[in-house]
């Protein structure tokens, strides 16, 4: 049940983003810089258990224009830490103030970066069990990676979990352009445009800000910036190639998908796809209310009001085979 006054999806979405929160149980993090591609580094904010090789790890991936400091990232990390897992908050390329670390932009299809982080944890830190969890854009990346791996998923990766994944990018771009969603579109575009301007100052030989002229929608931004600069040609090429829905039928490890039927800009129709519904490895939780990455409910015994964060950690616990601190 949504918290009082938050049944409306817009109120729920905005409250989740701006509701003041504290994370007293989350210990100080250690930042690590990891090479995820020939031309790209990312920063991880790591909360290690005392024996990092013995403990399982949860890698958290944020959404569009988020960072490791997003409330849902900190809240889920705290819950995972208290459950005995090392919690790794990943900044997607250029996010969290890391524009200098790579000469490329980020996009919703960068599943390979998440895979590189998982491989780094296993290779460099000796972590034997890894769980990957993503929110919104990060959820698309995690599900795309799970499907790309298919039956060849690394032995260390035990499960995947996502909240409000943007499964069909074209549908999401159309939904966020609706009049009722103009505030979200304006906010995303403001951040994306500012980021391109910062990248152009850092790498003037690579990026041109004149591409932003006339860009007023997410689809126009992807047509002018994401598609050309990220190798997809245009928005349609980007959406066709980077959307995770085409990969979910191949997912071969336990996977949780949480979405709200009233999400303002992630159309619920995507989650009725036969490939998703017919995959026995996927558990779908789709309450009627929750907005976008909201799910603020009433407190119940042993849990706080952040329902989706609790479900993610509960699912990971159920599929962990290693002892926890």
């Amino acid at each position: 049940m949504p918290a009082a006054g938050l049944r409306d999806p817009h109120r729920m979405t905005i409250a989740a983003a701006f509701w003041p929160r504290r994370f007293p149980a989350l210990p100080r993090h250690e930042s690590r810089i990891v090479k995820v591609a020939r031309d790209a580094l990312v920063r991880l904010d790591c909360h290690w258990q005392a024996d990092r090789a013995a403990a399982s790890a949860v890698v958290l991936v944020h959404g569009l224009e988020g960072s490791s400091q997003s409330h849902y990232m900190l809240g889920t990390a705290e819950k995972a830490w208290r459950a005995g897992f090392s919690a790794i908050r990943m900044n997607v390329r250029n996010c969290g103030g890391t524009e200098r670390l790579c000469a490329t932009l980020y996009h919703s299809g960068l599943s390979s970066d998440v895979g590189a982080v998982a491989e780094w944890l296993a290779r460099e830190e000796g972590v034997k069990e890894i769980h990957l969890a993503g929110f919104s854009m990060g959820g698309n990346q995690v599900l795309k990676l799970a499907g790309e791996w298919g039956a060849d998923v690394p032995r260390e990766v035990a499960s995947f979990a996502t909240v409000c994944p943007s499964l069909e990018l074209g549908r999401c771009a159309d939904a966020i352009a609706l009049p009722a969603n103009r505030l979200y579109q304006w906010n995303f575009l403001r951040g994306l445009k500012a980021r391109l301007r910062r990248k152009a100052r850092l790498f003037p030989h690579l990026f041109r800000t004149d591409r932003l002229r006339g860009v007023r929608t997410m689809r126009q931004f992807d047509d002018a910036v994401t598609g050309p600069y990220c190798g997809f040609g245009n928005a349609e090429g980007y959406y066709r190639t980077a959307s995770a829905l085409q990969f979910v039928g191949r997912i071969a490890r336990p996977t949780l998908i949480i979405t709200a039927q009233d999400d303002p800009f992630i159309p619920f129709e995507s989650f009725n796809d036969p490939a998703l519904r017919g995959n026995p490895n996927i558990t779908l939780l789709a309450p009627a209310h929750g907005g976008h990455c909201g799910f603020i409910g009433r407190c119940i015994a042993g849990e706080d009001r952040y329902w989706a964060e609790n479900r993610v950690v509960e699912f990971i616990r159920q599929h962990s085979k290693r002892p926890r601190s």
Side-chain angles (χ1 to χ4, degrees):
M1 290 290 292
L6 296 182
R7 185 174 289 267
D8 177 82
H10 300 293
R11 288 186 180 181
M12 176 70 83
T13 301
I14 293 169
F18 295 104
W19 197 302
R21 298 182 65 178
R22 299 179 64 189
F23 309 96
L26 193 60
R28 185 181 297 274
H29 69 266
E30 173 187 270
S31 290
R32 302 293 295 274
I33 303 298
V34 175
K35 186 173 184 178
V36 293
R38 178 183 55 81
D39 54 358
L41 304 170
V42 301
R43 192 188 79 229
L44 311 178
D45 293 337
C46 308
H47 307 273
W48 302 109
Q49 294 290 338
D51 188 342
R52 66 182 65 181
S56 300
V58 179
V59 178
L60 303 172
V61 191
H62 60 79
L64 187 73
E65 284 303 285
S67 75
S68 63
Q69 291 298 116
S70 297
H71 283 178
Y72 53 80
M73 295 280 281
L74 291 162
T76 310
E78 183 180 56
K79 292 174 177 64
W81 167 263
R82 294 179 69 176
F85 297 92
S86 293
I88 314 299
R89 294 181 287 124
M90 175 181 172
N91 285 285
V92 173
R93 293 188 195 190
N94 298 301
C95 294
T98 63
E99 285 94 348
R100 293 181 179 276
L101 295 183
C102 63
T104 55
L105 301 176
Y106 77 80
H107 60 81
S108 295
L110 275 175
S111 50
S112 58
D113 284 9
V114 183
V117 168
E119 291 165 3
W120 173 83
L121 280 170
R123 181 182 67 251
E124 301 297 330
E125 299 296 339
V127 178
K128 301 297 190 299
E129 182 181 280
I130 300 167
H131 305 263
L132 304 178
F135 299 81
S136 193
M137 178 192 74
N140 185 78
Q141 293 177 348
V142 166
L143 291 177
K144 180 172 177 281
L145 176 65
E148 288 169 334
W149 274 340
D152 296 323
V153 59
R155 66 179 183 277
E156 293 88 0
V157 178
S159 76
F160 306 92
T162 62
V163 178
C164 298
S166 48
L167 281 179
E168 288 187 282
L169 300 175
R171 277 192 171 186
C172 294
D174 293 340
I176 205 168
L178 296 173
N181 292 328
R182 60 186 178 274
L183 176 63
Y184 309 120
Q185 179 160 256
W186 172 82
N187 187 56
F188 283 135
L189 282 174
R190 181 184 63 167
L192 288 165
K193 288 179 177 181
R195 191 177 305 281
L196 183 66
R197 294 186 182 105
R198 291 195 295 272
K199 294 294 286 187
R201 288 194 294 271
L202 290 167
F203 305 97
H205 58 296
L206 295 177
F207 300 104
R208 292 167 35 202
T209 58
D210 62 350
R211 287 182 174 270
L212 298 176
R213 292 174 189 160
V215 170
R216 293 181 176 84
T217 68
M218 289 296 297
R219 184 178 283 272
Q220 288 172 343
F221 181 88
D222 290 333
D223 211 37
V225 177
T226 311
Y229 279 133
C230 297
F232 301 106
N234 54 26
E236 282 304 319
Y238 169 41
Y239 300 154
R240 183 176 61 252
T241 305
S243 296
L245 186 60
Q246 62 192 306
F247 299 97
V248 296
R250 299 180 55 217
I251 292 175
R253 289 280 166 87
T255 298
L256 174 66
I257 298 176
I258 297 173
T259 194
Q261 295 180 43
D262 66 354
D263 190 311
F265 49 87
I266 307 290
F268 185 65
E269 291 82 0
S270 299
F271 300 88
N272 288 323
D273 188 275
L276 189 157
R277 294 280 185 161
N279 188 329
N281 296 302
I282 296 176
T283 299
L284 175 65
L285 299 181
H289 304 286
H292 184 69
C293 292
F295 304 100
I296 303 174
R298 300 172 183 176
C299 294
I300 61 176
E303 293 186 358
D304 64 12
R305 64 178 66 241
Y306 295 94
W307 180 82
E309 295 174 10
N310 283 294
R311 299 290 72 75
V312 166
V313 175
E314 177 186 52
F315 183 84
I316 290 170
R317 287 186 64 142
Q318 289 173 350
H319 294 91
S320 175
K321 298 179 181 180
R322 297 183 64 80
R324 294 179 295 279
S325 302

